[in-house]
Amino acid sequence: MMKVEEALHMVGGAGDTSYASNSRLQEKAIRKTKDIVEKALKNINGEVVSKSLVVADLGCSSGPNAFLVISQIISAVMEAGFQKAKEIMFLLNDLPGNDFNTIFRSLSLYEKKVKEENGDQVLPYFVAGVPGSFYGRLFPSNSLHFAHSSYSLMWLSQVPVGIDQSGGVNINKGNIYISRTSPPIVSRLYLEQFKRDFSSFLKLRSQELVNGGQMVLSFLGRKSSDPSKAEVCRLWGLVADALNSMVQEGLMEEEKVNTFNMPFYAASKEEVQQVIQSEGSFYIEQMQILESNWDPFDDSDDDQIFDNVKSGHNVAKCIRAVLEPLLVGHFGKQPIVDQVFARYAHNVAMHLLKEKTKHIVFILALKTKDLNL
């Protein structure tokens, strides 16, 4: 069985299929959180921060978005006029397979950019990498003031137990995620895994954050109460269609496809709120729901697609930057992966002719509860 923590990382480097070159969806979400991040930092200014402001970016990945977060926080800190903080410590976290080397090689270039944007009065700041799963402990107790995570928490710590079976009956045959043909138990198993993982994430961060510390989180979710009707189900369903077409043509083993399932869950607003309330460590200060076009280069608000083939290609590149390591870990290397995404681009293009589907993005600002109350 594939170990999720070993295979779940974005495509590294700066090539055409890398996450660094195909992370505009996350970039748009980060820019949408700017005002929320500024408000959260103003709330902790002078309240919980001493000499150093310590910030963790959880699931930072390896592209320019890690530096976008750093830049936004530096600007927000300067705007808030922190009275006590004289320096900032940024702790960039992701799984061990993440391309941390690209981050650190790019650091000097972004230091120049930060100075250009903020002048010579920038607070001294330091950057360190912290490899490890955010479903485990990462930092000492009461060591963080602010935690940020973007486009990460929809990824589970594992494929739900009972779905990814090494033998016996394949209960989600022909699918790689929840679909309308999945038996009801599949949705239940995914929800149970999400509840365990998200609850664990909250509990661990509450131990690492100081009293009064805050988090801003953004991740994919869904509008419908029925998980099989989630917008993202169609996205993964089109990947499954590509895989199944290759099975039909004898290019891939059917058993291989039947045993591949996504370690991913798009929760509903109510499910997210219920876990936060049940876990009990945080207040929800703010929650927003955004919609983002599948095509990362389509910034329009209407339902029109001007070039479905080009959009299909854009979506395929974006998803490949995320999904390729998982596919390679399960199916093997090229040319299989090349064929999968060529077919996927076509499937997306055909889908967009009928319907312009959008991602649902949740943005949450959470504050730790005062443990002394």
Side-chain angles (χ1 to χ4, degrees), residues 319-361:
I319 296 303
R320 179 169 185 165
V322 174
L323 193 57
E324 181 173 331
L326 282 172
L327 291 177
V328 169
H330 189 79
F331 295 104
K333 296 184 179 181
Q334 282 86 355
I336 288 178
V337 173
D338 291 333
Q339 292 187 51
V340 169
F341 286 103
R343 291 168 188 249
Y344 178 60
H346 173 76
N347 291 347
V348 172
M350 294 300 100
H351 170 77
L352 292 176
L353 279 179
K354 299 179 290 184
E355 177 187 353
K356 184 177 180 179
T357 316
K358 300 184 180 184
H359 295 293
I360 304 303
V361 184

Side-chain angles (χ1 to χ4, degrees), residues 231 291-294 300-303 356-360:
E231 296 74 10
E291 294 188 1
S292 183
N293 295 319
W294 275 11
S300 64
D301 295 324
D302 57 38
D303 292 326
K356 184 177 180 179
T357 316
K358 300 184 180 184
H359 295 293
I360 304 303

Side-chain angles (χ1 to χ4, degrees), residues 10-68:
M10 308 299 103
V11 176
D16 187 53
T17 62
S18 70
Y19 190 71
S21 301
N22 296 281
S23 56
R24 194 162 185 265
L25 283 176
Q26 185 191 36
E27 177 192 343
K28 291 198 281 188
I30 292 171
R31 294 191 184 281
K32 289 287 187 179
T33 65
K34 182 176 182 291
D35 292 342
I36 297 175
V37 168
E38 289 179 353
K39 182 178 179 180
L41 288 168
K42 285 179 181 178
N43 288 341
I44 65 175
N45 179 19
E47 183 178 337
V48 298
V49 179
S50 55
K51 183 178 179 180
S52 298
L53 173 67
V54 182
V55 175
D57 187 15
L58 306 163
C60 65
S61 193
S62 59
N65 292 337
F67 295 102
L68 176 59

